[in-house]
Amino acid sequence: NPILPFGVHIASFGYDKYRESLFRLSVAKRLSRIWSIGVSVQYNLLQSELFERSGARLSADLGVALRPTDEWMFGLSVIHFPCVSTGSDEVNDTHLASLKIVSGLRYVVSEGMELSVGGEYRRDEPFVFSVGMEYAAFADFRLRAGVRSSPFSPSLGACYSFIGLTLDTAILYH
């Protein structure tokens, strides 16, 4: 979409007695040849028999990207800012993600091969470092692998695109 690219993300995790749900709408716009900006708004809902009341949060994310050359891209995002909590404050403060600052860079090694590194900062938590790679085996099929530092968690993934739709899957050890 050359006018205003957008995305919709719906996720659900859990079972009858514990459920986390996420609904997200994202938009992005290229501002110039090297600068881009993106915004997302999401609603997180946490329901569990362990809590007297459910937790819920409406929040926004803001990110900017700088792409000075075709090989290099740098990004910076502020996640969950601003946010408005509804439901139980105790559940929201303890179990829903708080403000996070994320930065990263991507380098295109060769056609079809990308390397990326990143870092995350969240108050009162250890700094998280990540590294990963993506390989385009075919024009519409990609393989991914990566690792995060805290807690240590390796991951593998695959992505397939068909007629403008993308199926992205991942396996994460935690």
Side-chain angles (χ1 to χ4, degrees):
N1 182 348
I3 298 171
L4 189 65
F6 70 94
V8 175
H9 178 187
I10 300 171
S12 182
F13 169 80
Y15 58 101
D16 291 344
K17 296 184 181 190
Y18 180 91
R19 172 126 354 251
E20 294 179 30
S21 301
L22 170 70
F23 308 93
R24 174 181 287 141
L25 177 63
S26 304
V27 295
K29 183 68 177 167
R30 179 170 282 196
L31 302 174
S32 70
R33 186 184 66 78
I34 62 173
W35 287 100
S36 299
I37 189 169
V39 177
S40 74
V41 175
Q42 54 270 337
Y43 179 73
N44 295 18
L45 178 63
L46 175 59
Q47 300 166 306
S48 175
E49 291 182 2
L50 302 172
F51 314 128
E52 290 182 19
R53 293 178 55 199
S54 296
R57 178 172 292 165
L58 179 65
S59 64
D61 303 340
L62 174 65
V64 294
L66 170 66
R67 188 173 178 179
T69 69
D70 289 341
E71 292 82 21
W72 289 96
M73 183 168 68
F74 304 91
L76 178 67
S77 297
V78 179
I79 311 294
H80 301 303
F81 178 78
C83 71
V84 176
S85 297
T86 61
S88 169
D89 288 336
E90 179 184 350
V91 173
N92 291 340
D93 293 342
T94 306
H95 298 284
L96 291 176
S98 60
L99 172 72
K100 178 171 50 172
I101 299 172
V102 181
S103 64
L105 70 91
R106 184 199 70 196
Y107 177 67
V108 178
V109 177
S110 64
E111 188 171 335
M113 174 70 81
E114 298 177 1
L115 298 176
S116 61
V117 296
E120 296 179 10
Y121 167 78
R122 187 176 296 167
R123 185 177 43 219
D124 301 326
E125 291 189 19
F127 184 80
V128 176
F129 178 76
S130 61
V131 62
M133 61 79 56
E134 179 177 289
Y135 174 68
F138 307 103
D140 295 332
F141 183 73
R142 298 177 180 272
L143 298 171
R144 299 185 179 115
V147 66
R148 289 174 52 107
S149 65
S150 181
F152 177 77
S153 53
S155 62
L156 296 172
C159 173
Y160 180 71
S161 298
F162 181 72
I163 311 175
L165 297 174
T166 301
L167 175 64
D168 221 338
T169 61
I171 298 171
L172 174 69
Y173 176 81
H174 58 91

